[in-house]
């Protein structure tokens, strides 16, 4: 279906994909994140990446529907996708992208803190071994 044969963009698959990607998928992700008592770091990472991807898809679909709405005679299309009201529709992708980026940064920060702690433990262990060798050597010399 093309925008020229439709009388409104509300009947296009792109519109329903926008609705699904703007409401159904993100809230399913939030539901899983809130209801799981135990969740893998990798799953959280995937959900964060999905939220960022959903935000990108939403922006693409909004732009595409805006272009299609300019070619339809429907006044409702013009109100939602061509006028200034369309900027309000960008709030959801901005929110999903922001939350996704925060989740990704949370995972990255936790990974870096763990790696730093592991480095400090290994470094401290190496220093302790070297110190013990010096003590043993100094006692053997005395």
């Amino acid at each position: 279906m093309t925008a020229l044969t439709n009388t409104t963009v509300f009947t296009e698959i792109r519109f329903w994909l926008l609705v699904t990607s703007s409401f159904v998928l993100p809230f399913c992700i939030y539901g899983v994140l809130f209801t799981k008592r135990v969740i893998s770091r990798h799953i959280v990472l995937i959900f964060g990446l999905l939220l960022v991807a959903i935000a990108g898809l939403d922006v693409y679909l909004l732009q595409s529907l805006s272009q299609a709405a300019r070619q339809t005679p429907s006044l409702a299309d013009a109100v939602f996708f061509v006028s200034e009201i369309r900027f309000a529709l960008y709030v959801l992708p901005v929110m999903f992208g922001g939350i996704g980026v925060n989740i990704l940064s949370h995972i990255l920060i936790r990974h870096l803190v763990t790696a730093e702690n592991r480095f400090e433990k290994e470094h401290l262990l190496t220093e302790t071994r070297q110190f013990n060798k010096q003590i043993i050597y100094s006692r053997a010399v005395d």
Side-chain angles (χ1 to χ4, degrees), residues 36 38 49 53 58 65 84 88 96 103 114:
K36 294 294 269 181
V38 177
L49 290 171
D58 283 356
L65 288 170
E84 289 78 19
F96 300 146
I103 289 172
T114 303

Side-chain angles (χ1 to χ4, degrees), residues 26-41:
F27 291 108
C28 286
I29 290 171
Y30 298 148
V32 169
L33 290 173
F34 284 128
T35 58
K36 294 294 269 181
R37 291 183 48 140
V38 177
I39 192 163
S40 164
R41 182 182 317 174

